[in-house]
């Protein structure tokens, strides 16, 4: 599947890998948005159904509310406590939670089958109609994002602040697509979220790197691999874009 328009999601077979527990987090945000646009959805998570009961109830309640307005939506399917290879080979797209590393054997299987691998952030950036500010760094990215967001909201109350701060930008994408005026957007981007953008060619309008220290080697194994993940924030930028880097 080559995703060039939102309309292609209708009736597509999509696996969401990692539901998560946050009501506005990556997993739930992606699941709601995909269902809203007609996907046939399977949600799989290594956590048990008991551990994810709140998230499952939240999603099913959202489905009921969506249907109450006379709209159609497919019933989501759930597989908890395990992943199954069959859910990663016979589908059109995998939308993985940023917490799932690309080294996952199931992601490797999907890549071998040339199945599209996305995240809530990569889907948002594919279709977002306005310039985006992205902020990353080993330290200070949350503070910098919140600070930037407050400045933006002083100019535009509807400014979007999302990403690693436990708010999926997909929660805002549909109303942004209908907005007649430009809306400021700032995303906090961890190295995990940046990795999920590696197949994306859409550049960030402004990319900010606060600093870089040795960290997250349990995920990235080497400092060089961690640095490469951070550098994805600059990928595909050109002379029309901006980079802000710590002078030291």
């Amino acid at each position: 599947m080559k995703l060039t328009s939102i309309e292609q999601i209708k009736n597509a077979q999509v696996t969401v890998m990692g539901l998560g527990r946050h009501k506005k987090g990556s997993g739930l945000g992606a699941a709601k948005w995909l269902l809203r646009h007609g996907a046939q959805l399977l949600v799989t998570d290594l956590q048990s159904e008991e551990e994810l009961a709140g998230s499952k109830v939240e999603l099913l309640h959202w489905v009921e509310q969506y249907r109450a307005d006379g709209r159609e939506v497919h019933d989501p399917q759930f597989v908890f406590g395990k992943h199954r290879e069959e859910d990663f080979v016979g589908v059109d797209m995998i939308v993985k939670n940023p917490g799932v590393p690309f080294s996952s054997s199931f992601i490797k299987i999907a890549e071998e089958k040339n199945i599209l691998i996305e995240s809530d952030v990569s889907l948002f950036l594919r279709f977002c109609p306005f310039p985006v500010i992205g902020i990353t760094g080993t330290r200070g990215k949350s503070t910098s994002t919140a600070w930037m967001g407050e400045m933006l909201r002083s100019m535009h109350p509807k400014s979007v602040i999302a990403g690693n701060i436990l708010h999926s930008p997909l929660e805002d994408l549909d109303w942004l697509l209908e907005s007649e005026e430009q809306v400021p957007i700032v995303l906090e981007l961890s190295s995990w979220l940046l990795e999920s953008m590696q197949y994306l060619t859409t550049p960030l309008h402004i990319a900010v790197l606060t600093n870089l220290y040795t960290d997250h080697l349990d995920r990235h194994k080497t400092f060089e691999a961690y640095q490469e993940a951070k550098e994805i924030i600059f990928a595909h930028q050109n002379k029309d874009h901006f980079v802000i880097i710590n002078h030291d």
Side-chain angles (χ1 to χ4, degrees):
M1 180 181 182
K2 188 175 181 180
L3 190 59
T4 57
S5 70
I6 294 177
E7 287 72 26
Q8 288 176 276
I9 293 172
K10 187 173 183 179
N11 295 322
Q13 300 280 345
V14 181
T15 293
V16 169
M17 186 182 191
L19 182 60
R21 299 182 183 182
H22 301 292
K23 288 188 175 182
K24 290 186 177 293
S26 295
L28 270 169
K32 291 176 184 178
W33 188 80
L34 290 161
L35 286 169
R36 189 182 300 123
H37 289 281
Q40 299 184 56
L41 202 66
L42 182 137
V43 178
T44 178
D45 199 300
L46 290 177
Q47 295 186 79
S48 69
E49 184 166 3
E50 182 179 2
E51 291 173 304
L52 293 170
S55 296
K56 181 179 179 181
V57 167
E58 170 75 16
L59 184 57
L60 292 177
H61 179 62
W62 177 87
V63 168
E64 289 179 6
Q65 289 183 311
Y66 194 78
R67 286 176 174 160
D69 293 331
R71 294 172 291 193
E72 294 183 0
V73 60
H74 292 291
D75 286 318
Q77 305 299 311
F78 299 92
V79 175
F80 292 127
K82 61 181 178 181
H83 293 317
R84 306 179 303 187
E85 183 174 331
E86 64 201 74
D87 299 324
F88 295 86
V89 293
V91 296
D92 299 300
M93 179 167 56
I94 308 291
V95 179
K96 76 175 194 66
N97 191 296
V100 178
F102 272 90
S103 59
S104 162
S105 60
F106 296 97
I107 294 297
K108 294 292 186 185
I109 289 169
E111 288 179 320
E112 289 171 4
K113 299 290 186 181
N114 294 317
I115 293 171
L116 189 64
I117 310 293
E118 295 281 350
S119 69
D120 65 321
V121 167
S122 68
L123 285 171
F124 176 82
L125 291 173
R126 279 188 185 277
F127 302 114
C128 180
F130 305 123
V132 176
I133 302 168
I135 298 178
T136 196
T138 308
R139 303 286 183 269
K141 58 183 177 293
S142 297
T143 302
S144 299
T145 302
W147 177 48
M148 178 68 71
E150 288 306 309
M151 288 195 296
L152 293 173
R153 282 181 174 167
S154 71
M155 298 183 293
H156 195 301
K158 288 188 175 181
S159 295
V160 172
I161 308 168
N164 201 55
I165 56 173
L166 304 181
H167 178 83
S168 173
L170 286 179
E171 296 276 359
D172 297 289
L173 181 56
D174 288 346
W175 72 260
L176 285 171
L177 289 168
E178 296 177 357
S179 177
E180 296 181 357
E181 62 174 344
Q182 183 168 304
V183 179
I185 300 162
V186 58
L187 302 181
E188 179 188 349
L189 299 171
S190 66
S191 59
W192 298 3
L193 278 172
L194 288 166
E195 278 188 322
S196 76
M197 294 161 48
Q198 62 182 274
Y199 297 128
L200 193 67
T201 58
T202 304
L204 293 167
H205 184 65
I206 300 175
V208 181
L209 175 61
T210 60
N211 48 54
L212 191 64
Y213 298 106
T214 301
D215 202 357
H216 300 299
L217 298 191
D218 55 333
R219 168 76 172 246
H220 298 286
K221 307 307 178 186
T222 67
F223 177 74
E224 289 73 22
Y226 176 54
Q227 179 176 319
E228 288 175 4
K230 289 294 191 184
E231 290 174 349
I232 292 173
I233 198 169
F234 311 134
H236 310 296
Q237 286 188 311
N238 58 41
K239 61 183 180 63
D240 297 321
H241 305 121
F242 300 88
V243 176
I244 300 174
I245 303 176
N246 187 316
H247 183 266
D248 295 329

